[in-house]
Amino acid sequence: MALLKTSCVFSSKALVFDDSSHRRCLTRKSFPFLVHELGKNASELHCRALDTPNSNVIKVGKSQVVQAVLSSDKEAHVSGAAISGGLRGKLNKVVLAYSGGLDTSVIVPWLRENYGCEVVCFTADVGQGLKELEGLEEKAKASGASQLVVKDLKEEFVKDFIFPCLRAGAIYERKYLLGTSMARPVIAKAMVDAAKEVGADAVSHGCTGKGNDQVRFELTFFALNPELQVVAPWREWDITGREDAIEYAKKHNVPVPVTKKSIYSRDRNLWHLSHEGDILEDPANEPKKDMYMMTVDPEDAPTQPEYVEIGIVSGLPVSVNGKKLSPASLLSELNEIGGRHGIGRIDMVENRLVGMKSRGVYETPGGTILFAAVRELESLTLDRETMQVKDSLALKYAELVYAGRWFDPLRESMDAFMEKITATTTGSVTLKLYKGSLSVTGRTSPYSLYREDISSFESGQIYNQADAAGFIRLYGLPMRVRSMLENGM
């Protein structure tokens, strides 16, 4: 086997060779002769930098091969992985969830250095905006990736992930409409597919060890391909913050993103925009006016209200103001309408899955409109018992989604129940939008359980008011018996 999948470049420096029985000092001229002499045993060599006062020295011994570059004006630099692996092991090819930001740009060389692997960057378009996708391929390859895979998941995201949650009425802890929670499994699912397409044996993400997203990604990986290995650099490396990451990037010749670092941690997709960090870390602080990006300040919204009609079929929205649209197009339309009226701002302190509380601000204009519309239509189409059961299950449904258990059989079974009981939730709802407020002004359904001839205060043939007396006596019997006992009757 020939020596080096790796390569060594020398200037006026020396190389010390040690194979346990020999120790030699090599110059640029003598090194090729040593390689020829060693022949097949050369594959067992490894290089190790030694501290010397006046020169860069590399010690070569048995068992490993590591790339090394020496020059007259630079210190010894190890870049690359051993034949048997990197600093932490050996993987063949890794698919990395990639955004092009500082963290994921740094992860590319880190994976190569620590796992000796080829890195395929994967980016999902879930509606974060075209600006976020610009120049990604150049950034990925400049960081050391072999290729960039970009997939448009917007329609799948809305149709197969957002709409089921909408139909179920899933809201986490009374406020959160699960924007990030729904996006992670669709991205992770696409990563599993990409790993199969490119022949990868591992997947990686840039989630921190303090958040929920690491769980959401990895549970999806486990559910869809348990053979894939998962690498989470934030749980392994020594990088502790932005300055460390910048230093690592410079050391490995990774172009550092020149975009201004936001003081907030944000996540954007077609459903919402979340804000965390900076002054929001103190729950007592009011968010700054210039923080919001999807919605105008209600004080600055139009002085005239706007009415919007949502068409719904079997619990799922299909049209806006009579115009039928695809799931992603419909949501985009409502984001624009709701955003200009300041609809859908939520400020909450939530309980993360990992145990800590966190404060976040969410903008969900289109989603807020849709939730109000679907829930209002159910007031016509669902009876009392069904509605109560649905609402109780919606809490568990939301917990499962928040916790990353999208592909859990329990959620899938609950979804089948939701689909069944909302089969007749068809009709339209009209809402009034005005300076951050949303109110329902009308609802109609061909499957409405509301009967004017029964509900009217006027006398009717179906409901005999005299029947109420017997009903009340029977319904109140337990209370009457208890009272009799307490009064010695």
Side-chain angles (χ1 to χ4, degrees):
M1 182 182 295
L3 180 69
L4 295 170
K5 281 186 176 182
T6 62
S7 61
C8 295
V9 180
F10 299 86
S11 59
S12 59
K13 306 305 178 183
L15 189 82
V16 176
F17 169 71
D18 184 2
D19 67 349
S20 298
S21 61
H22 302 83
R23 183 174 180 86
R24 312 182 191 184
C25 183
L26 305 178
T27 65
R28 179 195 298 269
K29 293 182 179 180
S30 62
F31 182 74
F33 295 102
L34 174 64
V35 174
H36 178 74
E37 177 185 339
L38 292 173
K40 65 179 181 179
N41 293 327
S43 64
E44 298 179 352
L45 299 176
H46 77 276
C47 300
R48 179 167 60 86
L50 298 179
D51 294 329
T52 60
N54 299 315
S55 66
N56 290 328
V57 179
I58 287 185
K59 182 177 180 181
V60 183
K62 288 185 176 181
S63 76
Q64 289 183 319
V65 176
V66 178
Q67 290 180 345
V69 178
L70 291 155
S71 66
S72 59
D73 58 348
K74 292 184 179 181
E75 294 182 354
H77 174 62
V78 178
S79 64
I83 286 178
S84 60
L87 301 177
R88 296 173 182 267
K90 175 61 181 174
L91 294 171
N92 176 46
K93 186 181 294 187
V94 178
V95 173
L96 167 67
Y98 181 76
S99 68
L102 175 61
D103 290 350
T104 53
S105 293
V106 166
I107 288 175
V108 176
W110 186 90
L111 286 171
R112 296 180 63 194
E113 180 180 32
N114 286 274
Y115 289 95
C117 58
E118 177 184 342
V119 180
V120 175
C121 289
F122 177 86
T123 299
D125 181 1
V126 288
Q128 62 267 46
L130 293 177
K131 187 176 181 181
E132 297 294 324
L133 303 175
E134 292 177 355
L136 280 186
E137 184 174 7
E138 292 78 6
K139 290 180 183 178
K141 291 186 176 180
S143 298
S146 62
Q147 69 180 111
L148 172 70
V149 177
V150 179
K151 288 194 176 182
D152 185 347
L153 303 178
K154 293 191 292 293
E155 291 292 350
E156 180 183 359
F157 177 40
V158 181
K159 177 178 177 290
D160 296 337
F161 291 80
I162 290 176
F163 277 7
C165 286
L166 175 65
R167 177 174 59 198
I171 301 177
Y172 182 71
E173 293 190 342
R174 305 170 183 170
K175 290 183 177 182
Y176 179 42
L177 297 181
L178 301 168
T180 302
S181 309
M182 297 183 294
R184 296 307 181 238
V186 71
I187 296 172
K189 174 179 176 292
M191 288 179 64
V192 172
D193 294 339
K196 182 178 180 181
E197 292 169 3
V198 302
D201 55 341
V203 285
S204 180
H205 60 76
C207 307
T208 74
K210 285 187 175 182
N212 300 311
D213 283 344
Q214 58 182 335
V215 182
R216 295 163 182 159
F217 271 106
E218 294 180 35
L219 291 191
T220 301
F221 298 150
F222 296 161
L224 300 183
N225 188 349
E227 293 183 349
L228 281 173
Q229 296 190 60
V230 181
V231 183
W234 274 103
R235 301 201 298 256
E236 297 184 29
W237 64 16
D238 297 324
I239 295 174
T240 59
R242 183 172 174 81
E243 294 306 315
D244 286 348
I246 291 175
E247 187 63 27
Y248 186 92
K250 291 180 179 178
K251 182 179 179 181
H252 292 78
N253 298 316
V254 174
V256 178
V258 297
T259 54
K260 183 180 178 181
K261 173 67 176 177
S262 171
I263 61 175
Y264 301 104
S265 173
R266 289 187 167 106
D267 176 68
R268 183 167 189 164
N269 57 50
L270 200 56
W271 183 248
H272 87 160
L273 172 61
S274 66
H275 312 265
E276 293 181 338
D278 196 56
I279 65 167
L280 298 180
E281 293 184 349
D282 184 348
N285 290 333
E286 179 182 6
K288 294 181 179 179
K289 185 174 181 177
D290 62 0
M291 180 192 74
Y292 296 93
M293 302 174 67
M294 287 185 74
T295 58
V296 304
D297 191 307
E299 295 177 357
D300 302 326
T303 57
Q304 295 298 318
E306 180 173 355
Y307 292 83
V308 59
E309 181 185 10
I310 308 299
I312 299 168
V313 174
S314 297
L316 302 177
V318 296
S319 66
V320 176
N321 295 327
K323 179 172 62 176
K324 290 187 177 181
L325 298 166
S326 71
S329 298
L330 184 146
L331 181 54
S332 295
E333 178 85 2
L334 289 177
N335 279 336
E336 196 279 325
I337 294 174
R340 65 172 174 255
H341 291 280
I343 303 298
R345 294 184 173 190
I346 295 295
D347 184 343
M348 68 179 292
V349 175
E350 68 193 64
N351 290 292
R352 285 184 180 174
L353 181 64
V354 294
M356 70 185 73
K357 287 185 179 290
S358 67
R359 193 269 188 97
V361 176
Y362 302 96
E363 297 178 79
T364 320
T368 301
I369 293 172
L370 289 176
F371 255 87
V374 172
R375 173 167 289 189
E376 191 62 29
L377 190 58
E378 288 178 348
S379 70
L380 292 181
T381 62
L382 299 183
D383 62 76
R384 177 177 58 199
E385 299 296 327
T386 300
M387 187 180 294
Q388 290 176 356
V389 171
K390 181 177 184 294
D391 287 349
S392 65
L393 290 178
L395 295 174
K396 184 61 178 179
Y397 194 108
E399 289 178 4
L400 291 172
V401 175
Y402 187 84
R405 308 188 75 92
W406 184 270
F407 294 99
D408 191 300
L410 176 57
R411 190 212 63 83
E412 294 172 342
S413 298
M414 293 172 66
D415 202 51
F417 169 80
M418 297 298 180
E419 182 178 3
K420 175 66 176 178
I421 64 170
T422 58
T424 59
T425 302
T426 296
S428 66
V429 176
T430 301
L431 305 103
K432 179 181 178 180
L433 316 180
Y434 180 68
K435 288 191 172 294
S437 68
L438 182 154
S439 57
V440 177
T441 61
R443 75 288 283 161
T444 180
S445 170
Y447 303 103
S448 175
L449 298 177
Y450 176 84
R451 291 285 300 266
E452 186 176 352
D453 57 346
I454 297 177
S455 301
S456 173
F457 286 103
E458 302 295 331
S459 297
Q461 296 180 349
I462 298 178
Y463 188 92
N464 186 343
Q465 297 191 41
D467 293 340
F471 165 75
I472 294 172
R473 282 196 295 271
L474 293 176
Y475 186 68
L477 182 59
M479 298 178 68
R480 189 175 184 181
V481 170
R482 180 176 296 275
S483 180
M484 292 171 63
L485 175 63
E486 293 173 349
N487 288 280
M489 297 174 63

